[in-house]
Amino acid sequence: MEQSKIISSAIKIHHLTNLNTYLLNQNREFMYHHEMIAIPAFMPGSDNHDILYFVEKMTHQEQLYSYTNEWGLHYYGYHFMAGMEGYTVIIGPYFDKTPNLYHLTRDYDLSNAQSEDLRVFGEKVYVLPAEQSSSFASVLQQFKAIIEQETAPIILVSEKNKSSASKKLEDFNVDKEAELVKLRYKTEQDFMHAVEQGDKTKALELINSNNVLFYFSERFPNQPLRRLKNLAIVLNTLLRTAAKNSYVPAILIHRISEKFAFEIENANQLKVLYQLEDRMIEEYCSLVSSSSLKKYSTLIQRAIEHLQSSYDKQINKEELADLLSTHPSHLSRKFKEETKMTITSYQQMLRIKKAKHLLKTEELTIEEIAWMIGYDDPSYFARVFKKEIGSTPTQYRDRL
């Protein structure tokens, strides 16, 4: 049996399930590897360890297997023979129920950055009901039948479409195209400047002016969904670059960029992608407005970036100063001079900001939120929160 047909069938499995899909030969070498969701390095199963362990445990030919790792990530695998060669196709991971990310964070003593990566990862992984996962298992078990099925539909093209396409080619004008390219790059510069200023109104206006910025979209005239996805990917890249130009901390750019990259790839409606474009612009502009560090010196930019990624940990000012190659007293003085806050106050501000976000968006207890942002004592957290916000965390949540 041709390996190309086996690989083609693995691609079909991916399109049917929309899960990570892996195809390995009998030597445990990857022949096909479509990984939409990467497992963070701190989790068991990262770097394909789950996949290789799963394959190792498959001992019977022509058999369907399931595997669940210690963090509740599920996989299905099907081992089969094609001629004299053995192959394994695996799909996953997925959850069979919504995971308690707080318990995982606490049980494995994850850092703030790891906890945030876990949250982002958890949002990407599908939670599949038993009926759906069972259906995917049934599809996987028919893998050999899929290999043998050839799909070659007869394509019918209307004469009207043919003549229309020919006319478009005839009417193509190189001079006009050159003018549009110039206009596109001018619009791109104006758009980038608007985002770098956090001006979401201007940025949205430029994007919506006949999409001149993305004129090359017509390269995909017969694939509207793929075309819009490609445009959204380009937009995400431009927005990420604009945020970087405005000295937004790298960890914040990474989080929002990864979130949108996943949403783009999984969008399956044109309407969703159009709405996603506007939301990307609004969120990046808000990020620039709230988190740009361009008004600070390089030293304080680096200090704030460190606090952004480690605000849930105790600060050792001597270690921080050493990390930044400066003296503790000089760092404290410069930080207060530029931010009008002490390092400790700035960290507390970041913690309270995160707490407000969690109170709005997560169904966590006050104790859980306190621990996640770095307070071991929930009562102390509640007192600090009330002093800063004017209400207790419970009162703040009740008002929303």
Side-chain angles (χ1 to χ4, degrees):
M1 185 175 293
E2 295 179 17
Q3 288 192 350
S4 61
K5 290 185 177 180
I6 299 175
I7 294 172
S8 175
S9 299
I11 295 172
K12 292 175 185 175
I13 290 292
H14 166 69
H15 289 158
L16 285 168
T17 64
N18 210 27
L19 295 173
N20 287 1
T21 305
Y22 309 88
L23 176 68
L24 299 90
N25 62 21
Q26 61 188 10
N27 298 320
R28 298 176 190 165
E29 299 168 335
F30 287 96
M31 298 172 59
Y32 175 71
H33 182 286
H34 192 120
E35 194 169 69
M36 298 173 60
I37 304 171
I39 298 177
F42 58 84
M43 289 182 66
S46 63
D47 198 26
N48 293 320
H49 287 164
D50 267 348
I51 304 303
L52 296 173
Y53 174 81
F54 193 12
V55 172
E56 183 181 342
K57 297 300 179 182
M58 296 185 193
T59 55
H60 300 287
Q61 299 175 5
E62 312 293 332
Q63 182 65 47
L64 179 73
Y65 293 83
S66 68
Y67 167 67
T68 306
N69 77 7
E70 62 187 276
W71 287 43
L73 294 174
H74 292 257
Y75 299 84
Y76 276 118
Y78 180 62
H79 184 64
F80 64 96
M81 298 298 293
M84 300 298 291
E85 299 289 324
Y87 298 92
T88 305
V89 59
I90 295 173
I91 56 174
Y94 68 90
F95 290 118
D96 65 349
K97 60 183 177 182
T98 303
N100 189 320
L101 301 182
Y102 166 74
H103 286 165
L104 288 173
T105 297
R106 193 153 197 174
D107 291 346
Y108 290 90
D109 193 26
L110 303 183
S111 68
N112 168 62
Q114 290 173 332
S115 175
E116 184 66 22
D117 287 344
L118 175 62
R119 184 189 66 78
V120 172
F121 173 76
E123 290 176 351
K124 294 178 180 179
V125 178
Y126 288 115
V127 179
L128 300 182
E131 297 82 2
Q132 188 174 4
S133 64
S134 177
S135 297
F136 285 172
S138 298
V139 169
L140 197 62
Q141 204 163 11
Q142 300 302 314
F143 191 81
K144 288 188 73 175
I146 295 173
I147 297 173
E148 294 161 3
Q149 284 281 330
E150 290 290 343
T151 55
I154 298 173
I155 300 173
L156 303 176
V157 181
S158 73
E159 292 301 318
K160 182 178 179 181
N161 285 346
K162 285 182 181 179
S163 60
S164 176
S166 299
K167 190 173 187 309
K168 284 183 180 178
L169 287 174
E170 291 169 6
D171 292 342
F172 183 79
N173 188 302
V174 176
D175 292 334
K176 288 183 180 179
E177 181 73 9
E179 287 301 315
L180 281 169
V181 169
K182 289 180 184 178
L183 181 57
R184 174 195 158 201
Y185 285 106
K186 171 65 167 62
T187 305
E188 180 180 307
Q189 291 172 357
D190 293 343
F191 174 74
M192 293 282 285
H193 179 72
V195 177
E196 288 166 13
Q197 303 303 310
D199 188 346
K200 65 179 72 175
T201 302
K202 183 63 176 177
L204 285 167
E205 178 188 318
L206 286 163
I207 277 292
N208 291 325
S209 43
N210 298 320
N211 276 328
V212 171
L213 178 56
F214 298 133
Y215 178 72
F216 59 84
S217 64
E218 291 308 311
R219 294 174 188 170
F220 306 95
N222 301 315
Q223 303 175 53
L225 189 64
R226 183 67 261 170
R227 173 175 63 85
L228 276 184
K229 284 190 177 186
N230 288 350
L231 301 186
I233 291 168
V234 172
L235 179 60
N236 196 19
T237 302
L238 288 174
L239 290 167
R240 187 171 65 231
T241 302
K244 181 181 177 183
N245 292 345
S246 291
Y247 299 94
V248 172
I251 189 170
L252 301 182
I253 298 173
H254 171 72
R255 287 171 184 167
I256 191 173
S257 174
E258 285 293 296
K259 179 186 79 167
F260 283 128
F262 180 76
E263 289 189 36
I264 291 166
E265 191 57 39
N266 283 277
N268 55 16
Q269 293 181 334
L270 298 180
K271 178 182 176 182
V272 171
L273 285 165
Y274 282 124
Q275 293 171 342
L276 182 59
E277 283 185 1
D278 287 353
R279 186 155 55 85
M280 286 166 65
I281 293 169
E282 290 174 355
E283 289 196 27
Y284 269 102
C285 286
S286 295
L287 180 67
V288 169
S289 296
S290 64
S291 305
S292 174
L293 305 179
K294 62 184 175 183
K295 64 182 179 180
Y296 301 123
S297 65
T298 302
L299 174 65
I300 302 308
Q301 286 177 14
R302 293 176 61 204
I304 291 175
E305 288 213 13
H306 179 80
L307 293 174
Q308 289 273 10
S309 61
S310 306
Y311 63 82
D312 61 325
K313 306 299 181 186
Q314 287 289 341
I315 300 174
N316 184 310
K317 294 178 184 177
E318 285 72 23
E319 290 181 0
L320 178 57
D322 186 58
L323 179 67
L324 301 174
S325 303
T326 189
H327 193 276
S329 60
H330 175 69
L331 174 61
S332 296
R333 186 173 62 254
K334 285 288 291 179
F335 197 95
K336 180 68 180 292
E337 178 185 310
E338 295 189 29
T339 68
K340 313 305 178 189
M341 302 173 72
T342 65
I343 292 174
T344 302
S345 297
Y346 196 94
Q347 181 193 40
Q348 181 170 289
M349 179 268 291
L350 292 175
R351 287 179 169 183
I352 297 301
K353 184 177 179 181
K354 180 66 174 179
K356 289 169 66 179
H357 174 73
L358 292 173
L359 287 166
K360 289 179 183 178
T361 60
E362 303 288 345
E363 295 182 2
L364 298 169
T365 66
I366 304 305
E367 180 184 11
E368 290 171 336
I369 291 174
W371 185 85
M372 289 183 72
I373 64 173
Y375 291 105
D376 293 328
D377 183 353
S379 298
Y380 177 69
F381 159 62
R383 290 197 300 273
V384 171
F385 190 93
K386 185 173 183 178
K387 182 180 178 182
E388 294 294 323
I389 305 302
S391 61
T392 66
T394 303
Q395 290 169 341
Y396 179 82
R397 174 178 270 167
D398 289 344
R399 287 204 312 267
L400 298 174

